[in-house]
Amino acid sequence: MYLPILQVQSEELPACAIVCGDPRRAAAIAEKLMDAKELAFAREYRTFVGEYDGVKLAVVSHGVGSPGAAVCFEELIKGGVKTLIRVGTAGSYSAEHPAGSLIVSTAAVRAEGLTSQLVPSGFPAVADSDVTSALYESALAGGGVVQKGITVTLDAFFSGVVDIPHKQYKAAGALAVEMEIAALYIVATIRGARAGAIVAIDGFADADLAAEYDPHTDAVSNAVEREIDAALGAMAKLARA
């Protein structure tokens, strides 16, 4: 089956895929694979396949924001992918999770617009428990600050004239905010796949903690490396279970 958005044949895709926003990050992850091969680079969607620790997997970039990312997730699942792990970045709500920390998302607040067109308003966006456990254990083994909990998915990156209720999300126990996880969890759930996500903290979303945003520090780079290794390790474990 030809997947027209990703521009790959489904027969080329394995059952496991790591997804990320940045096409350059997809290439960096692919460098950790054995016999890595680039299948396609169409719009923001860059697809690699290779092998890690004896497990065949794909690495695919999905761009920024839920609608475009959901297109990627839909086609991957249509192409036979059964397990997806997102690696990305997020803004923290807590001083306990500064830049360089890792958060494993157990569920996502649906504060974006896409998923309301896919499922009813009260339907939860929840990670697969086995994927979450494997990610958390793998991340802990890599050291550094690691936490698991609820994340928030938004459409807006920059603030406008309408206040985003970050304080309410924080008070309710959310740990961080990003732009695609809710879409991943909803698409995976309704299409019969399993999914999880891990994010590297690259700044603070809490206005009381916010400083000048700089996602290009050594602390963030190191965290991204750790989350990539955690995702690869978790995927290998899940594929052999």
Side-chain angles (χ1 to χ4, degrees):
M1 177 195 305
Y2 181 64
L3 304 174
I5 308 299
L6 299 181
Q7 297 185 18
V8 301
Q9 295 289 343
S10 61
E11 293 80 6
E12 298 177 290
L13 294 174
C16 302
I18 291 177
V19 294
C20 61
D22 189 348
R24 293 174 298 180
R25 184 168 295 156
I29 298 171
E31 289 179 359
K32 296 176 178 286
L33 307 182
M34 293 286 293
D35 301 322
K37 178 175 68 172
E38 184 170 357
L39 298 182
F41 193 168
R43 300 190 183 191
E44 63 265 49
Y45 310 114
R46 191 173 188 181
T47 304
F48 297 86
V49 292
E51 188 172 302
Y52 182 83
D53 197 17
V55 174
K56 293 181 179 180
L57 57 86
V59 180
V60 188
S61 61
H62 54 63
V64 177
S66 290
V71 171
C72 174
F73 308 148
E74 293 272 12
E75 284 212 336
L76 286 175
I77 295 169
K78 183 182 290 187
V81 172
K82 300 297 185 185
T83 304
L84 301 95
I85 293 177
R86 165 166 152 71
V87 296
T89 53
S92 173
Y93 282 140
S94 171
E96 296 178 1
H97 308 126
S101 305
L102 297 181
I103 302 292
V104 175
S105 172
T106 58
V109 178
R110 292 170 48 207
E112 36 62 63
L114 170 88
T115 61
S116 64
Q117 299 181 32
L118 300 178
V119 293
S121 60
F123 194 89
V126 183
D128 178 85
S129 59
D130 290 336
V131 178
T132 298
S133 295
L135 267 175
Y136 187 60
E137 292 171 8
S138 187
L140 285 175
V145 176
V146 181
Q147 184 58 275
K148 61 180 176 178
I150 296 170
T151 54
V152 177
T153 300
L154 294 176
D155 286 332
F157 186 88
F158 296 103
S159 60
V161 297
V162 176
D163 289 334
I164 297 171
H166 289 298
K167 289 187 176 181
Q168 294 179 36
Y169 295 139
K170 177 182 177 179
L175 301 181
V177 56
E178 54 78 69
M179 300 180 72
E180 296 88 19
I181 292 176
L184 173 62
Y185 291 172
I186 291 297
V187 170
T189 297
I190 66 177
R191 305 303 182 205
R194 59 181 182 174
I198 184 170
V199 289
I201 297 300
D202 63 3
F204 289 111
D206 185 341
D208 295 332
L209 299 171
E212 184 176 353
Y213 178 63
D214 182 4
H216 304 298
T217 64
D218 289 342
V220 175
S221 296
N222 290 336
V224 170
E225 282 296 309
R226 297 197 332 270
E227 72 170 341
I228 290 170
D229 290 340
L232 289 167
M235 192 68 87
K237 178 180 179 180
L238 289 162
R240 289 194 295 267

